[in-house]
Amino acid sequence: MTRKEPRRIEIFDTTLRDGEQAPANAMSSQDKLDLALRIEALGVDVIEAGFPASSSNDFDATQAVSAALSRARVATLSRARRDDVETAVQAAGGRNHVLQIMGTGSDIHLEHKLGITRQQAIEDAVDAARFAASLGVETVAVGIEDATRGDLGYLQQLTERAVEAGARYIPVADTSGCASPAEFGDLIARIRSWAPSPVRIGVHCHNDFGVATANAIAGLEAGADDVQVTVGGIGERAGNTAMEEVCAFLAYKGERIGLYSTADLAGIYSVYNRLREIIRLEEPRNKAIFGKYAFGTAAGIHQAGMLRNPATYEYVEPARFGRERSLLISRHSGRAVLRHLLGELGLEIDKAGLDEIYRRYIFERAESDCEDISVLRERLAADLAPVPG
């Protein structure tokens, strides 16, 4: 059996738009430009600058970002309206521009948000797509918002009509974050069959059930070409698919599933910290990859293994993501970490002495007391250093 060649997944970053939808300070156009250039340096393929028709700030930011990018393509968002499309083209031009027209995938959105019929929604999307193509937009996209709650017959008609109108990219959104990986993968496979190559399929997932990354991976395995992500998973409600999680998964599991990304893993963390500064986002403690203690442990059993070989409890390697591992000293730590520190200090202690040190420095700690191993090392060095003499 012939083995299929690995398929490169494009990374489509929407941090500049979705980051503003989290409870945080809005980004200025200069902030967006700063982040866009940092994100481009990671090797990201497409950077969404914003929704130019929504505000003068988004228009100005889109102009600045589209002019500054040297390698990545710029993306914009538009409603299925000619005036939105025209504004997006005024901001970003046509070359290297992925102009995303929002199609509507579910009856609940058609009825309660837009107040239009399925047929009207299709005609609006088709008209906007044709208009965008007539303005010289390089990549016309018709996205399907709330696709995971849509009727399959309607979704097929919307997809096929969009492609006929010139759309060459179909991003599919689990807008309410309601899908399971199996459900989302099945939907992407169907849309892939309705829009065969060279039309590209994208996945845009929300994290309401905590499965945005799992859903995105399922969509990629089912035939999608790119994944829409945000740095740190920032976005409305529970957030969007996190760039670092997808890139980590592809780095470690991509060979097994025949997918890979060329994004720079080590650089994402510094971009995330810059994003946190801009929108005043508190540092999370236990978030995957970027949590304060994502690569730290206070458990004595874990520490004993990791001191011998970090791979005992550490599958994802912190250095690959610009992070460092940390051993945290608490009441849950054991004697193994003390033996390690005493050995580093060149101190020989018998069992009774070790038990006494354990009592003083570990067992009698306050329940909430926790410190980095380097702090305890300094304390032991000061307390147990030989008296000159």
Side-chain angles (χ1 to χ4, degrees), residues 97-170:
H97 184 181
V98 181
L99 194 154
Q100 299 178 103
I101 296 159
M102 288 190 289
T104 303
S106 70
D107 288 332
I108 193 168
H109 276 216
L110 290 171
E111 178 181 354
H112 297 286
K113 188 177 79 170
L114 299 177
I116 60 176
T117 64
R118 292 179 178 181
Q119 195 58 40
Q120 184 61 56
I122 291 173
E123 295 305 325
D124 288 348
V126 165
D127 180 69
R130 286 177 175 156
F131 183 62
S134 76
L135 296 179
V137 174
E138 188 170 295
T139 303
V140 177
V142 173
I144 308 179
E145 187 180 20
D146 206 27
T148 47
R149 293 192 291 179
D151 172 76
L152 290 176
Y154 166 65
L155 294 177
Q156 180 174 2
Q157 187 180 8
L158 174 60
T159 301
E160 292 176 344
R161 289 288 306 280
V163 172
E164 290 171 6
R168 289 299 174 264
Y169 176 50
I170 308 291

Side-chain angles (χ1 to χ4, degrees), residues 298 303 327-334 337-338 341 357-377 379-380:
Q303 292 174 347
L327 298 182
L328 304 169
I329 308 304
S330 75
R331 288 185 64 182
H332 299 287
S333 299
V337 73
L338 293 177
L341 291 175
I357 292 172
Y358 173 78
R359 181 188 66 78
R360 289 174 56 194
Y361 294 96
I362 303 293
F363 185 76
E364 292 184 351
R365 281 178 173 270
E367 187 65 38
S368 60
D369 185 23
C370 186
E371 64 188 6
D372 188 79
I373 190 173
S374 62
V375 178
L376 179 58
R377 186 184 191 279
R379 185 174 295 119
L380 289 172

Side-chain angles (χ1 to χ4, degrees), residues 22 47 49 76 86 89 154 224 241 291 318 361 368 379:
I47 299 172
T76 60
E86 190 168 24
V89 174
Y154 166 65
T241 306
Y361 294 96
S368 60
R379 185 174 295 119

Side-chain angles (χ1 to χ4, degrees), residues 146 148-149 174-180 183 206 208-209 211 215:
D146 206 27
T148 47
R149 293 192 291 179
D174 181 24
T175 304
S176 61
C178 66
S180 70
E183 291 169 333
H206 288 255
D208 298 67
F209 280 146
V211 292
N215 282 349

Side-chain angles (χ1 to χ4, degrees), residues 304-326:
M306 292 179 69
L307 287 168
R308 295 182 179 91
N309 184 342
T312 52
Y313 285 95
E314 188 179 84
Y315 181 72
V316 177
E317 301 149 295
R320 295 189 71 176
F321 298 90
R323 305 296 310 277
E324 295 180 0
R325 77 176 54 90
S326 59

